[in-house]
Amino acid sequence: MSSSAPPKSPAALAALTLAALGVVYGDIGTSPLYALKEVFHAGHVPATHGNVLGVLSLIFWTMTIIVSLKYVLLILRADNNGEGGLIAMLALATTAVRDQPRLRRVLMVVGLFGTAIFYGDGVITPAISVLSAVEGLEVAAPGLHSFIIPITLLVLTGLFSVQRFGTGGIGKFFGPITLVWFAVLIWLGLPHIIENPAVLVALNPLHAARFCIDQPLVSFIALGAVVLCVTGGEALYADMGHFGRKPIRIAWYSMVMPALVINYFGQGAMLLEHPEAVENPFYMMAPAWAQLPLVFLATAATVIASQALISAAFSVTKQAIQLGILPRMTIRHTSVRDTGQIYVPFVNWGLFVFIVLAVALFKSSSTLASAYGIAVTLDMTITTVMTFFVIRYGWRYPLLLCIAVTGFFFVIDLTFFLSNLLKLIAGGWFPLVIGSGMFLLMLTWKQGRTIMRHRVRDDAIELEGFLEAVFVSPPVRVSGTAVFLVAEEGLTPNALMHNLKHNKVLHEHNLFVTVRHHEVPWVGFDKRLTVHSMGHDCWQVTLNFGFKNDPDVPEALRLLEGRGVPMDDMDTSYFLSRETVIPTFGDGMAMWREKLFAGMHRNATDMADFLNLPSNRIVELGAKVEI
């Protein structure tokens, strides 16, 4: 669903809006479970009348500025052919400054780091969400305290175990269940607001300002927990390609924002009357008879929120692979109708291991909250920086306007990030370690590929001249079509030279195919290939794919039919060069990084599988590349 192509009917719009509730807003929708509680839980902020109103005002205006204004109104406009997310924003920003190579490289590194940090957030979000939901057992049945961690791990194990089957079957229930969840948020909060309507004065930003001015240090520390109320903001942008702008905006303004505000203010109204409820204000709002059912509903909501993030991790990984940021991995499609539903086993079980480690290490949602926030606020800050370059160099808006708009959001994002840095020792290091590890892998893979490409290019022979030399004394031609995969146009593939050297034959028809991945989400079939005749029944073919396209070489080559290039499936062979990377001392990377790259290259999935080549018609010839 492209943001430029709105739904054609009210029914379709309603269906997309309902679906967006389940996928887009699961994370931010479950934040009332822990956000307000964590502000007061650490003891830095006493639950006094003035502090409660000040914190509520901070929460309301944080959601208004960061989500309603920044993401829903501004960031959703920055679509890359209808797609959103940090990788789409990175592609937009680097394209906008393509005539400034030094700045482009800096933005690429910053964007890579933001993408890597996303995986750190992907570990903390399911852990804190599910754990905070199950912790409701302490309120409903205190004797079950010892079962909280085992139940949490059981729920998470079940969630990750079913990923290989896809979410098509149960995904249709996500929207309705989340709709029920938001209705329950309103049902819980509204009675307390009616009992104590004075809490609504916190809508006045003066209460937030007074809280910050009167207690600058306390308020700065509190921001580290306040930011938990917007920890699903990135999902708004990342899922734009699935639903479009309009359904996401309608869902936010009509249901999500009102439900969240009512629930937070309901918790605040209760705290004004019963400060002792600060231990778990969300569950203590509910009547005793509803607390246990609420635990089950909250667990279902957090599972849905976690599912949305897991699916996003799969999608981001696939896009990163297409752009050459990560090595090829096994990607399985779990739906014949929805190409966006994929399963990446390595990412799935990697996330699971680190999430289990997080639950076992931190043991409660309160301690996990100390690890939460740094990754999110860092990504928010990076998104704002990228947005400046998009609106300034891509959209050509006036410089002062760009600085004013993005500068305003940058100051807010940076303030939240600096506040969360106070939690670095207490647990904030955890997602940063994961994100930094992913960044190292991404940077090593990208630099290693660049070095490897230069080595191959330096040792390669120019194709046109090579063919001219070959046809001075033509070899034996055998029937059929040979497709040689070559990394760069115009270079002679090693597989061709090995075939001539050892088999001393050349096929009747030869295609030299280069696959290119572009910094756009989709490339249509009308722009899928370009072909250039080199004479002697040889053709140079370039195939173009976007970072959300599934590269399928045989399907793309069928477009050559009618252009004088025979493509009989049963009479076509695919020749690949399998390079073995040899780390050497020199001007490349440090030796340990070269060895890391060599290991990643060795363990990457087969190029044949990645390009969807028929396994029974592949010929692989090896070559060594020293880096």
Side-chain angles (χ1 to χ4, degrees), residues 19-35:
L21 275 179
V23 175
V24 177
Y25 293 109
D27 188 4
I28 197 170
T30 53
S31 61
L33 282 165
Y34 47 81

Side-chain angles (χ1 to χ4, degrees), residues 209-524:
R210 188 178 299 118
F211 177 62
C212 294
I213 293 170
D214 292 346
Q215 305 176 78
L217 182 58
V218 170
S219 60
F220 183 69
I221 295 172
L223 288 178
V226 169
V227 76
L228 296 174
C229 73
V230 293
T231 49
E234 285 288 325
L236 292 173
Y237 183 41
D239 289 309
M240 180 169 58
H242 294 292
F243 305 103
R245 292 191 199 113
K246 197 170 183 179
I248 291 175
R249 285 174 172 165
I250 290 174
W252 173 253
Y253 290 119
S254 66
M255 172 57 74
V256 181
M257 177 75 168
L260 291 175
V261 171
I262 290 172
N263 193 269
Y264 280 122
F265 275 67
Q267 292 184 45
M270 183 185 63
L271 289 178
L272 290 177
E273 294 293 327
H274 306 284
E276 68 278 4
V278 74
E279 285 301 315
N280 202 323
F282 178 82
Y283 280 106
M284 289 184 178
M285 277 196 303
W289 62 266
Q291 287 175 348
L292 199 56
L294 187 58
V295 172
F296 290 107
L297 178 60
T299 303
T302 54
V303 165
I304 291 171
S306 302
Q307 176 61 62
L309 195 140
I310 295 167
S311 299
F314 293 161
S315 179
V316 166
T317 301
K318 179 188 173 185
Q319 294 173 27
I321 292 170
Q322 305 283 68
L323 288 175
I325 299 171
L326 284 173
R328 298 182 302 275
M329 301 180 195
T330 299
I331 298 176
R332 298 174 187 161
H333 289 268
T334 58
S335 171
V336 294
R337 291 181 298 176
D338 185 359
T339 57
Q341 287 196 25
I342 58 175
Y343 169 62
V344 187
F346 182 82
V347 173
N348 184 70
W349 295 113
L351 280 176
F352 175 71
V353 168
F354 281 105
I355 288 171
V356 170
L357 182 62
V359 172
L361 191 64
F362 293 96
K363 294 184 172 63
S364 74
S365 61
S366 293
T367 49
L368 262 172
S370 64
Y372 205 26
I374 291 183
V376 176
T377 52
L378 194 52
D379 261 352
M380 288 179 175
T381 306
I382 290 173
T383 299
T384 301
V385 172
M386 294 287 179
T387 302
F388 169 80
F389 291 98
V390 172
I391 65 176
R392 172 59 184 154
Y393 296 99
W395 300 352
R396 304 291 180 181
Y397 281 12
L399 178 61
L400 289 179
L401 177 63
C402 296
I403 292 175
V405 172
T406 57
F408 172 68
F409 293 124
F410 179 78
V411 169
I412 293 174
D413 292 336
L414 187 62
T415 302
F416 276 111
F417 173 65
L418 293 175
S419 173
N420 277 276
L421 276 182
L422 297 175
K423 303 187 291 187
L424 184 64
I425 304 300
W429 56 269
F430 188 73
L432 283 183
V433 167
I434 296 171
S436 299
M438 285 300 302
F439 179 63
L440 174 64
L441 293 177
M442 289 178 170
L443 205 57
T444 298
W445 180 255
K446 188 167 182 61
Q447 290 181 345
R449 276 170 48 89
T450 301
I451 294 170
M452 186 173 167
R453 189 165 58 247
H454 289 162
R455 294 289 188 271
V456 170
R457 187 192 301 147
D458 292 344
D459 296 337
I461 300 171
E462 191 262 330
L463 178 60
E464 198 163 344
F466 179 80
L467 290 178
E468 287 178 5
V470 166
F471 287 111
V472 169
S473 177
V476 175
R477 306 291 290 266
V478 296
S479 62
T481 300
V483 177
F484 294 93
L485 276 298
V486 57
E488 288 198 39
E489 301 169 13
L491 299 183
T492 305
N494 286 326
L496 172 63
M497 293 190 288
H498 284 300
N499 192 41
L500 286 171
K501 179 179 179 181
H502 298 291
N503 299 325
K504 297 181 172 51
V505 296
L506 191 66
H507 280 71
E508 184 180 1
H509 307 285
N510 297 275
L511 303 180
F512 303 98
V513 177
T514 299
V515 177
R516 295 185 62 193
H517 294 282
H518 297 269
E519 293 179 349
V520 294
W522 307 99
V523 173

